[in-house]
Structures are given as C-alpha cells and as structure tokens.
Amino acid sequence: MAEIAINTRPRSRKAFALMPTLLLCLSSMTSAADVPPPYAGPLFDAHLHYNAEAQEPHPLADVLGRMQRSGVRAIVANSRPNDGTLTLATAKAATAAAGVTVVPFVRLYRNRDDYSSWFRDPSIIAMVERELAQGTAAGPYRGLGEFHLYDSANADGSTAVALMKLAQQRDLVVLAHVDDVAIDKLLAHAPRTRLVWAHTGIGGVPEARVRELLRRYPKLMGELSYRPGLTENGRLSAAWRALMMEFPERFLVGSDTWVNQRWAYYEGLMQEARAWLGELPPAVAQSIAWGNGARLYRLPAP
C-alpha cells in the first residue's frame, strides 16, 4: 500500500496564531472540570459582629437579607457594645422570617478603649455579670467574647482569669482572638472550658502547632475567618485539608464583620467559604459548615 502523506502543519498563519488560544481554552476546561461544585447546604456563621458603626449603613433588614441570600441559618452574635447583639436577638419575627437563629454572646467591650485593658479591669466582670443576669429576647447568653489579647502574657490578667473560670462554671463558650501561647494559658485557668479560637491563629500559627493544640485540648475548636494559608490560588490548601480530615468536628466557618466593608462583601465571604468547603467530602463539609456549630450550641437541624 502506498504511503499517504499527512500534513500536520497549520494551513495558514491565522490557524497557527489561534493554536495557543485553543490550548489555553482546553487547559481551562480541564482545570474547571477539576474544581468540585461549592457546598450547597446551610451555613452557621460562628463569628459575626453587629457593631455600633454598622447599624446605620446596614440596618436590620439589610444584614438579615445578606444572611438569607447566603444560606446562613444561624449566627453567633457579639457586638461592641452589646446593643447590636440585643438588636438581633430582639428582632424575633424578622430573624424567624429570614430563617436565622441568633446565638447571643456577651462582648467584653463597651468601647474601643476596652480592647487593650479589659483583662485587668474589674468593671468588665461586673458588666458581664449584669448582662448574663438580664439575658436576651432570644434566650440566655451562650458565651463570652470575642476578646483580644495582643500580648499572650495578658491571659494571666486578673479579669481574664476570672472570666475563664466563670465560663467554665456556667458552661459558656469563649471566643478568643489570641496566639497559640495564650491558648495554653487560658485553658490552664479553666481546662474544661469550651474555647473557640478565632481565626485559628490569625498570625499564621503553623499547622503543626494547630494540630498539637487540637490534640491536647479536646474542647478547643478553630474558627476559620482570616486564616492565613487556608486557601492557595483559590483552592483549599493540602495542609488545611489534612487538618480538617483529621479533625472534622473541630472547625467552624465565620465572617468576622468587624468593619463595615465586611458587611458590604458578606455574600462574597460566604461564597468563598462554600467554594473551599466543596473540596471536602460532603459529610466533612456539612460538619464544618453547619453541624459543628449546631452541636456546640445545641441547635436543631434547619
């Protein structure tokens, strides 16, 4: 049989010029096929603030609408001052219509000055006791925080020690924005306290240290807003996927609406969470997105 010559060269300069574009499109199609669909179930926002400066630009209807559009079915509300939390807790008809359950926390801050001195200020203890006694329209307060310790040594401050012991005594969850050294210090004061580590170490505590602390303290949980290294190029990092697979019942999703810009981008924040949650096995994604928070605060399935 005679050989048939096949011309594999492009038939024109135009066809040759199009080849890189075609290859890029094929590569993009392959990459898109590798990205799993986002998690589509309910979300529990375990770190949300409705601070004083947010309430005029983002009134109640606005923030509840953002939660509802994002599929957020429960929130931990903690605000500076506690008036914002009380606003959310009191709006029972509006939150019910939006399908949002409010889990109220007592924040330790009456104003911005309290951020840097609360841990040694006895008047903070009196304020917390007063709030706990009064409760909210959504029921009793379920936790204390979020509080900050910019120096881990301040975890040994008299008020910090007293409030950790109070949380342990009354079975209140603590939401703490601290480093890894302060985790050890706080739990030394009250080892049975259920402590949620805001941002799971916002300074980028190494994953190995996070793993060490989760193994050491069975009641420690990690909230994942602002967590450095959680994603790489828009995908869940291998290190954090390994942590979540090892500890599927120990992580929570949060928005941390500490400034108004976070409210403006609330839906985007929740979409980002849904994207990396979608890269986990469905049961693990559901636990981190909803189940762990619901179990921690004893909420029924939505």
Side-chain angles (χ1 to χ4, degrees):
M1 181 179 295
E3 292 185 356
I4 300 175
I6 300 176
N7 184 1
T8 59
R9 291 179 297 175
R11 294 178 179 272
S12 67
R13 291 179 179 272
K14 182 178 180 181
F16 183 81
L18 286 173
M19 286 183 69
T21 302
L22 293 171
L23 291 172
L24 179 61
C25 290
L26 288 171
S27 175
S28 299
M29 291 171 61
T30 301
S31 298
D34 292 339
V35 177
Y39 165 78
L43 291 173
F44 193 128
D45 187 343
H47 185 165
L48 179 141
H49 305 288
Y50 193 36
N51 292 330
E53 62 271 18
Q55 294 176 41
E56 182 176 347
H58 296 287
L60 187 65
D62 177 80
V63 298
L64 289 177
R66 292 174 187 275
M67 295 174 202
Q68 187 176 35
R69 291 191 296 273
S70 301
V72 171
R73 305 300 299 275
I75 59 169
V76 165
N78 69 114
S79 306
R80 171 190 38 78
N82 289 302
D83 296 359
T85 294
L86 293 173
T87 296
L88 290 165
T90 302
K92 297 177 73 173
T95 55
V100 176
T101 298
V102 177
V103 178
F105 270 41
V106 180
R107 193 117 196 244
L108 309 188
Y109 305 147
R110 299 156 298 191
N111 50 56
R112 291 188 180 276
D113 291 339
D114 287 337
Y115 282 57
S116 57
S117 61
W118 71 268
F119 45 85
R120 61 172 177 263
D121 184 347
S123 71
I124 297 295
I125 301 174
M127 181 268 287
V128 168
E129 292 275 16
R130 185 170 58 253
E131 291 285 357
L132 291 174
Q134 293 173 350
T136 79
Y141 285 103
R142 308 296 296 278
L144 304 180
E146 178 201 21
F147 62 70
H148 300 70
L149 290 172
Y150 301 113
D151 182 344
S152 57
N154 292 328
D156 294 327
S158 57
T159 295
V161 173
L163 290 180
M164 286 298 296
K165 291 181 176 179
L166 176 69
Q168 178 175 266
Q169 177 187 356
R170 301 196 188 184
D171 195 27
L172 299 169
V173 177
V174 170
L175 178 61
H177 176 132
V178 299
D179 66 13
D180 56 307
V181 175
I183 292 290
D184 282 321
K185 287 179 171 291
L186 291 171
L187 290 175
H189 303 313
R192 298 190 306 278
T193 303
R194 296 177 294 159
L195 195 154
V196 174
W197 192 4
H199 321 297
T200 319
I202 196 168
V205 175
E207 292 85 354
R209 175 65 168 152
V210 173
R211 179 177 284 104
E212 175 191 342
L213 291 171
L214 290 172
R215 289 175 175 172
R216 181 179 302 167
Y217 303 114
K219 293 188 176 182
L220 176 65
M221 300 185 73
E223 181 272 319
L224 295 167
S225 64
Y226 277 112
R227 171 59 221 196
L230 179 65
T231 59
E232 296 174 350
N233 299 318
R235 305 291 298 271
L236 182 64
S237 73
W240 277 91
R241 189 180 196 280
L243 271 173
M244 292 175 192
M245 294 298 292
E246 183 176 352
F247 303 100
E249 297 184 348
R250 307 285 292 281
F251 291 106
L252 302 158
V253 171
S255 63
D256 190 13
T257 49
W258 68 287
V259 290
N260 291 351
Q261 290 91 331
R262 299 284 284 184
W263 276 117
Y265 190 51
Y266 189 85
E267 290 98 324
L269 295 172
M270 296 298 101
Q271 289 169 4
E272 290 172 4
R274 288 185 179 280
W276 61 255
L277 284 165
E279 301 194 46
L280 294 163
V284 176
Q286 196 277 341
S287 289
I288 295 171
W290 171 263
N292 296 342
R295 184 168 52 255
L296 181 63
Y297 300 108
R298 303 180 183 93
L299 301 186

